[in-house]
Amino acid sequence: MNSYELQIERVIEQKDMSKVHLLVEKYHPLLVSSIKRYYNKPHDFDELYDEGILEICEALRDYERSKNSSFGGYLKSRLYYFYLGKNKVEEPISLDRPIGEENDITLMDMLEDEQDIQGDYNKLLDYKNLHSSLESLTNRQKDILLDFYLKDLSIGEIADKYGIKYRTAFNTKKTALEKLKKYLVDNGNFSDIWNI
């Protein structure tokens, strides 16, 4: 063994962190090849190299000659699992990242908005117009429509509730719907719903 190798052995034996630079020099080729083989992302190379140096320091701290044959083999195994483990961490994807062959479109451009703001606004206007149109009805007509559509009562149950004949309850409901339809159509609303 030459003096350089003896010096390396002494650093490993004494776990001398002040001379870890000697280990980094010796295992530089292993570090670079591990990065390229197990986590080949060139834009991250400097950061990966620095993390590899930290892994060398941790390997020096954790190495036990009685459990492992050589420091080089132990370090190779540590680097293998370290860089392989980094592949499991998903890299965040930017919505502004260009995609496609010409890089002229981004992921953000491809996303569809689940909210239909225009549709929601139109529904709100429809509800307001429907509410306004209810004001054109008599109280009895409003009550019968609300009982039938909101409380889910049958025409027979409505007739019993108000003490009127079945036919009267039915005609009141029919008249109320015709009034609503006329009001809404005259005001330019709901024509697509009423199939006009």
Short mmCIF file of all heavy atoms in Angstrom, two decimals, residues 38-76:
data_model
loop_
_atom_site.label_atom_id
_atom_site.label_comp_id
_atom_site.label_asym_id
_atom_site.label_seq_id
_atom_site.Cartn_x
_atom_site.Cartn_y
_atom_site.Cartn_z
N TYR A 38 -27.89 6.18 -11.87
CA TYR A 38 -29.11 5.98 -11.09
C TYR A 38 -30.03 7.20 -11.02
O TYR A 38 -31.18 7.08 -10.62
CB TYR A 38 -28.76 5.55 -9.66
CG TYR A 38 -27.84 4.35 -9.64
CD1 TYR A 38 -26.61 4.41 -9.02
CD2 TYR A 38 -28.22 3.16 -10.26
CE1 TYR A 38 -25.76 3.32 -9.01
CE2 TYR A 38 -27.37 2.06 -10.25
CZ TYR A 38 -26.15 2.14 -9.63
OH TYR A 38 -25.32 1.07 -9.62
N TYR A 39 -29.53 8.36 -11.40
CA TYR A 39 -30.37 9.57 -11.34
C TYR A 39 -29.83 10.57 -12.35
O TYR A 39 -29.32 11.62 -11.99
CB TYR A 39 -30.34 10.17 -9.93
CG TYR A 39 -31.42 11.20 -9.70
CD1 TYR A 39 -32.71 10.81 -9.37
CD2 TYR A 39 -31.16 12.55 -9.83
CE1 TYR A 39 -33.70 11.75 -9.16
CE2 TYR A 39 -32.15 13.50 -9.62
CZ TYR A 39 -33.41 13.09 -9.28
OH TYR A 39 -34.40 14.01 -9.07
N ASN A 40 -29.96 10.25 -13.60
CA ASN A 40 -29.35 11.07 -14.65
C ASN A 40 -30.24 12.25 -15.03
O ASN A 40 -31.02 12.19 -15.96
CB ASN A 40 -29.06 10.20 -15.88
CG ASN A 40 -28.16 10.93 -16.87
OD1 ASN A 40 -27.57 11.94 -16.53
ND2 ASN A 40 -28.08 10.42 -18.07
N LYS A 41 -30.09 13.32 -14.28
CA LYS A 41 -30.79 14.57 -14.58
C LYS A 41 -29.71 15.66 -14.62
O LYS A 41 -29.35 16.23 -13.60
CB LYS A 41 -31.84 14.86 -13.52
CG LYS A 41 -32.92 13.78 -13.49
CD LYS A 41 -34.19 14.32 -12.98
CE LYS A 41 -35.36 13.44 -13.11
NZ LYS A 41 -35.44 12.12 -12.89
N PRO A 42 -29.19 15.94 -15.81
CA PRO A 42 -28.04 16.85 -15.94
C PRO A 42 -28.25 18.23 -15.32
O PRO A 42 -27.31 18.80 -14.79
CB PRO A 42 -27.85 16.98 -17.46
CG PRO A 42 -28.54 15.80 -18.05
CD PRO A 42 -29.63 15.42 -17.11
N HIS A 43 -29.47 18.74 -15.34
CA HIS A 43 -29.69 20.08 -14.80
C HIS A 43 -29.55 20.11 -13.27
O HIS A 43 -29.41 21.16 -12.67
CB HIS A 43 -31.05 20.64 -15.23
CG HIS A 43 -32.21 19.82 -14.76
ND1 HIS A 43 -32.60 18.65 -15.37
CD2 HIS A 43 -33.08 20.02 -13.74
CE1 HIS A 43 -33.64 18.15 -14.75
NE2 HIS A 43 -33.95 18.96 -13.76
N ASP A 44 -29.59 18.94 -12.62
CA ASP A 44 -29.45 18.87 -11.17
C ASP A 44 -28.08 18.35 -10.73
O ASP A 44 -27.89 18.06 -9.55
CB ASP A 44 -30.52 17.91 -10.59
CG ASP A 44 -31.92 18.47 -10.70
OD1 ASP A 44 -32.06 19.69 -10.86
OD2 ASP A 44 -32.87 17.66 -10.61
N PHE A 45 -27.14 18.22 -11.63
CA PHE A 45 -25.88 17.54 -11.33
C PHE A 45 -25.14 18.14 -10.14
O PHE A 45 -24.72 17.40 -9.25
CB PHE A 45 -24.96 17.51 -12.56
CG PHE A 45 -23.69 16.77 -12.29
CD1 PHE A 45 -23.65 15.39 -12.39
CD2 PHE A 45 -22.53 17.44 -11.91
CE1 PHE A 45 -22.49 14.69 -12.13
CE2 PHE A 45 -21.36 16.75 -11.64
CZ PHE A 45 -21.35 15.37 -11.76
N ASP A 46 -24.99 19.46 -10.11
CA ASP A 46 -24.23 20.09 -9.01
C ASP A 46 -24.87 19.80 -7.66
O ASP A 46 -24.18 19.48 -6.69
CB ASP A 46 -24.11 21.60 -9.22
CG ASP A 46 -23.22 21.95 -10.41
OD1 ASP A 46 -22.36 21.11 -10.77
OD2 ASP A 46 -23.38 23.05 -10.96
N GLU A 47 -26.18 19.92 -7.60
CA GLU A 47 -26.88 19.65 -6.35
C GLU A 47 -26.75 18.17 -5.96
O GLU A 47 -26.52 17.84 -4.80
CB GLU A 47 -28.36 20.01 -6.50
CG GLU A 47 -29.14 19.89 -5.23
CD GLU A 47 -30.58 20.34 -5.40
OE1 GLU A 47 -30.88 21.12 -6.31
OE2 GLU A 47 -31.41 19.86 -4.60
N LEU A 48 -26.86 17.30 -6.94
CA LEU A 48 -26.72 15.86 -6.68
C LEU A 48 -25.31 15.52 -6.21
O LEU A 48 -25.13 14.66 -5.35
CB LEU A 48 -27.07 15.06 -7.93
CG LEU A 48 -28.53 15.12 -8.36
CD1 LEU A 48 -28.70 14.54 -9.75
CD2 LEU A 48 -29.41 14.40 -7.37
N TYR A 49 -24.33 16.18 -6.79
CA TYR A 49 -22.94 15.94 -6.39
C TYR A 49 -22.74 16.36 -4.93
O TYR A 49 -22.14 15.63 -4.14
CB TYR A 49 -21.99 16.71 -7.32
CG TYR A 49 -20.54 16.33 -7.11
CD1 TYR A 49 -20.01 15.21 -7.72
CD2 TYR A 49 -19.72 17.11 -6.30
CE1 TYR A 49 -18.68 14.85 -7.53
CE2 TYR A 49 -18.38 16.76 -6.10
CZ TYR A 49 -17.87 15.63 -6.72
OH TYR A 49 -16.57 15.28 -6.53
N ASP A 50 -23.27 17.54 -4.57
CA ASP A 50 -23.15 18.02 -3.18
C ASP A 50 -23.85 17.06 -2.21
O ASP A 50 -23.34 16.77 -1.13
CB ASP A 50 -23.74 19.42 -3.04
CG ASP A 50 -22.90 20.48 -3.74
OD1 ASP A 50 -21.72 20.19 -4.05
OD2 ASP A 50 -23.42 21.58 -4.00
N GLU A 51 -25.00 16.56 -2.63
CA GLU A 51 -25.72 15.60 -1.78
C GLU A 51 -24.92 14.30 -1.66
O GLU A 51 -24.93 13.64 -0.62
CB GLU A 51 -27.11 15.33 -2.33
CG GLU A 51 -28.05 16.51 -2.16
CD GLU A 51 -29.40 16.29 -2.81
OE1 GLU A 51 -29.60 15.28 -3.52
OE2 GLU A 51 -30.29 17.15 -2.61
N GLY A 52 -24.24 13.94 -2.73
CA GLY A 52 -23.39 12.75 -2.70
C GLY A 52 -22.23 12.91 -1.73
O GLY A 52 -21.85 11.96 -1.04
N ILE A 53 -21.67 14.11 -1.65
CA ILE A 53 -20.58 14.38 -0.69
C ILE A 53 -21.12 14.21 0.73
O ILE A 53 -20.45 13.60 1.59
CB ILE A 53 -19.99 15.79 -0.90
CG1 ILE A 53 -19.23 15.84 -2.23
CG2 ILE A 53 -19.07 16.18 0.26
CD1 ILE A 53 -18.76 17.22 -2.64
N LEU A 54 -22.32 14.70 0.97
CA LEU A 54 -22.93 14.50 2.29
C LEU A 54 -23.15 13.02 2.57
O LEU A 54 -22.97 12.56 3.70
CB LEU A 54 -24.26 15.25 2.39
CG LEU A 54 -24.17 16.77 2.43
CD1 LEU A 54 -25.55 17.40 2.40
CD2 LEU A 54 -23.41 17.23 3.66
N GLU A 55 -23.51 12.28 1.55
CA GLU A 55 -23.71 10.84 1.71
C GLU A 55 -22.38 10.15 2.03
O GLU A 55 -22.35 9.20 2.82
CB GLU A 55 -24.34 10.25 0.44
CG GLU A 55 -24.90 8.87 0.60
CD GLU A 55 -26.05 8.77 1.59
OE1 GLU A 55 -26.76 9.76 1.85
OE2 GLU A 55 -26.23 7.66 2.14
N ILE A 56 -21.28 10.63 1.45
CA ILE A 56 -19.95 10.09 1.79
C ILE A 56 -19.65 10.35 3.27
O ILE A 56 -19.16 9.46 3.98
CB ILE A 56 -18.84 10.71 0.89
CG1 ILE A 56 -18.98 10.19 -0.54
CG2 ILE A 56 -17.45 10.42 1.44
CD1 ILE A 56 -18.04 10.85 -1.54
N CYS A 57 -19.97 11.57 3.75
CA CYS A 57 -19.75 11.89 5.17
C CYS A 57 -20.58 10.98 6.07
O CYS A 57 -20.07 10.47 7.08
CB CYS A 57 -20.11 13.35 5.45
SG CYS A 57 -19.01 14.53 4.65
N GLU A 58 -21.84 10.76 5.70
CA GLU A 58 -22.68 9.88 6.51
C GLU A 58 -22.19 8.43 6.46
O GLU A 58 -22.25 7.71 7.45
CB GLU A 58 -24.14 9.98 6.05
CG GLU A 58 -24.77 11.32 6.41
CD GLU A 58 -26.20 11.45 5.92
OE1 GLU A 58 -26.83 10.43 5.56
OE2 GLU A 58 -26.70 12.59 5.90
N ALA A 59 -21.72 8.03 5.28
CA ALA A 59 -21.19 6.67 5.15
C ALA A 59 -19.96 6.50 6.03
O ALA A 59 -19.78 5.46 6.68
CB ALA A 59 -20.85 6.36 3.69
N LEU A 60 -19.10 7.51 6.07
CA LEU A 60 -17.90 7.45 6.93
C LEU A 60 -18.31 7.34 8.40
O LEU A 60 -17.75 6.55 9.14
CB LEU A 60 -17.04 8.71 6.72
CG LEU A 60 -15.78 8.81 7.57
CD1 LEU A 60 -14.84 7.63 7.28
CD2 LEU A 60 -15.06 10.13 7.31
N ARG A 61 -19.30 8.11 8.78
CA ARG A 61 -19.79 8.08 10.16
C ARG A 61 -20.39 6.72 10.52
O ARG A 61 -20.18 6.19 11.59
CB ARG A 61 -20.84 9.18 10.36
CG ARG A 61 -21.37 9.27 11.78
CD ARG A 61 -22.61 10.10 11.89
NE ARG A 61 -23.67 9.41 11.16
CZ ARG A 61 -24.70 9.99 10.58
NH1 ARG A 61 -24.81 11.29 10.62
NH2 ARG A 61 -25.61 9.29 9.94
N ASP A 62 -21.15 6.11 9.59
CA ASP A 62 -21.88 4.87 9.87
C ASP A 62 -21.09 3.60 9.59
O ASP A 62 -21.49 2.51 10.02
CB ASP A 62 -23.17 4.82 9.02
CG ASP A 62 -24.12 5.96 9.35
OD1 ASP A 62 -23.99 6.58 10.42
OD2 ASP A 62 -25.01 6.25 8.51
N TYR A 63 -19.98 3.70 8.89
CA TYR A 63 -19.24 2.52 8.46
C TYR A 63 -18.65 1.76 9.65
O TYR A 63 -18.06 2.33 10.55
CB TYR A 63 -18.10 2.92 7.51
CG TYR A 63 -17.23 1.78 7.07
CD1 TYR A 63 -17.71 0.80 6.21
CD2 TYR A 63 -15.91 1.68 7.54
CE1 TYR A 63 -16.90 -0.25 5.81
CE2 TYR A 63 -15.10 0.63 7.14
CZ TYR A 63 -15.61 -0.34 6.28
OH TYR A 63 -14.82 -1.38 5.88
N GLU A 64 -18.87 0.45 9.61
CA GLU A 64 -18.27 -0.44 10.62
C GLU A 64 -17.55 -1.56 9.88
O GLU A 64 -18.17 -2.33 9.15
CB GLU A 64 -19.35 -1.02 11.54
CG GLU A 64 -20.01 0.01 12.41
CD GLU A 64 -21.07 -0.59 13.32
OE1 GLU A 64 -20.90 -1.76 13.73
OE2 GLU A 64 -22.05 0.11 13.59
N ARG A 65 -16.25 -1.63 10.08
CA ARG A 65 -15.42 -2.62 9.37
C ARG A 65 -15.87 -4.05 9.68
O ARG A 65 -15.83 -4.92 8.83
CB ARG A 65 -13.95 -2.43 9.72
CG ARG A 65 -13.01 -3.26 8.87
CD ARG A 65 -11.56 -2.98 9.14
NE ARG A 65 -11.16 -1.61 8.86
CZ ARG A 65 -10.80 -1.17 7.65
NH1 ARG A 65 -10.81 -1.98 6.63
NH2 ARG A 65 -10.43 0.07 7.48
N SER A 66 -16.37 -4.28 10.90
CA SER A 66 -16.76 -5.64 11.29
C SER A 66 -18.00 -6.12 10.52
O SER A 66 -18.18 -7.31 10.30
CB SER A 66 -17.03 -5.70 12.78
OG SER A 66 -18.10 -4.84 13.12
N LYS A 67 -18.83 -5.20 10.07
CA LYS A 67 -20.06 -5.58 9.35
C LYS A 67 -19.91 -5.51 7.83
O LYS A 67 -20.69 -6.12 7.11
CB LYS A 67 -21.21 -4.65 9.76
CG LYS A 67 -21.64 -4.83 11.20
CD LYS A 67 -22.81 -3.92 11.49
CE LYS A 67 -23.25 -4.06 12.94
NZ LYS A 67 -24.33 -3.15 13.27
N ASN A 68 -18.95 -4.76 7.36
CA ASN A 68 -18.79 -4.55 5.91
C ASN A 68 -17.37 -4.91 5.50
O ASN A 68 -16.42 -4.67 6.23
CB ASN A 68 -19.07 -3.09 5.55
CG ASN A 68 -20.45 -2.67 6.00
OD1 ASN A 68 -21.44 -3.12 5.46
ND2 ASN A 68 -20.52 -1.81 7.02
N SER A 69 -17.24 -5.44 4.30
CA SER A 69 -15.93 -5.87 3.85
C SER A 69 -15.01 -4.68 3.54
O SER A 69 -13.91 -4.60 4.05
CB SER A 69 -16.05 -6.77 2.62
OG SER A 69 -16.74 -6.09 1.59
N SER A 70 -15.48 -3.76 2.70
CA SER A 70 -14.63 -2.61 2.37
C SER A 70 -15.46 -1.34 2.37
O SER A 70 -16.66 -1.37 2.12
CB SER A 70 -13.98 -2.80 0.99
OG SER A 70 -14.96 -2.66 -0.02
N PHE A 71 -14.80 -0.24 2.63
CA PHE A 71 -15.50 1.05 2.62
C PHE A 71 -16.01 1.36 1.23
O PHE A 71 -17.13 1.87 1.06
CB PHE A 71 -14.59 2.17 3.13
CG PHE A 71 -15.28 3.50 3.17
CD1 PHE A 71 -16.17 3.79 4.19
CD2 PHE A 71 -15.06 4.45 2.18
CE1 PHE A 71 -16.83 5.02 4.23
CE2 PHE A 71 -15.71 5.67 2.21
CZ PHE A 71 -16.60 5.96 3.24
N GLY A 72 -15.23 1.07 0.20
CA GLY A 72 -15.63 1.33 -1.19
C GLY A 72 -16.91 0.60 -1.55
O GLY A 72 -17.82 1.18 -2.17
N GLY A 73 -17.02 -0.67 -1.18
CA GLY A 73 -18.24 -1.45 -1.46
C GLY A 73 -19.43 -0.91 -0.69
O GLY A 73 -20.54 -0.83 -1.21
N TYR A 74 -19.18 -0.55 0.58
CA TYR A 74 -20.23 0.01 1.42
C TYR A 74 -20.72 1.33 0.84
O TYR A 74 -21.93 1.57 0.73
CB TYR A 74 -19.69 0.20 2.84
CG TYR A 74 -20.65 0.88 3.78
CD1 TYR A 74 -21.79 0.21 4.22
CD2 TYR A 74 -20.42 2.16 4.24
CE1 TYR A 74 -22.69 0.82 5.10
CE2 TYR A 74 -21.30 2.78 5.11
CZ TYR A 74 -22.43 2.12 5.53
OH TYR A 74 -23.31 2.72 6.39
N LEU A 75 -19.80 2.20 0.42
CA LEU A 75 -20.16 3.49 -0.15
C LEU A 75 -20.92 3.32 -1.46
O LEU A 75 -21.91 4.01 -1.71
CB LEU A 75 -18.91 4.35 -0.37
CG LEU A 75 -19.15 5.73 -0.97
CD1 LEU A 75 -20.05 6.56 -0.06
CD2 LEU A 75 -17.84 6.45 -1.23
N LYS A 76 -20.47 2.38 -2.29
CA LYS A 76 -21.15 2.13 -3.57
C LYS A 76 -22.61 1.74 -3.33
O LYS A 76 -23.51 2.23 -4.01
CB LYS A 76 -20.42 1.03 -4.34
CG LYS A 76 -21.01 0.77 -5.71
CD LYS A 76 -20.18 -0.24 -6.47
CE LYS A 76 -20.77 -0.46 -7.84
NZ LYS A 76 -19.99 -1.38 -8.64
#
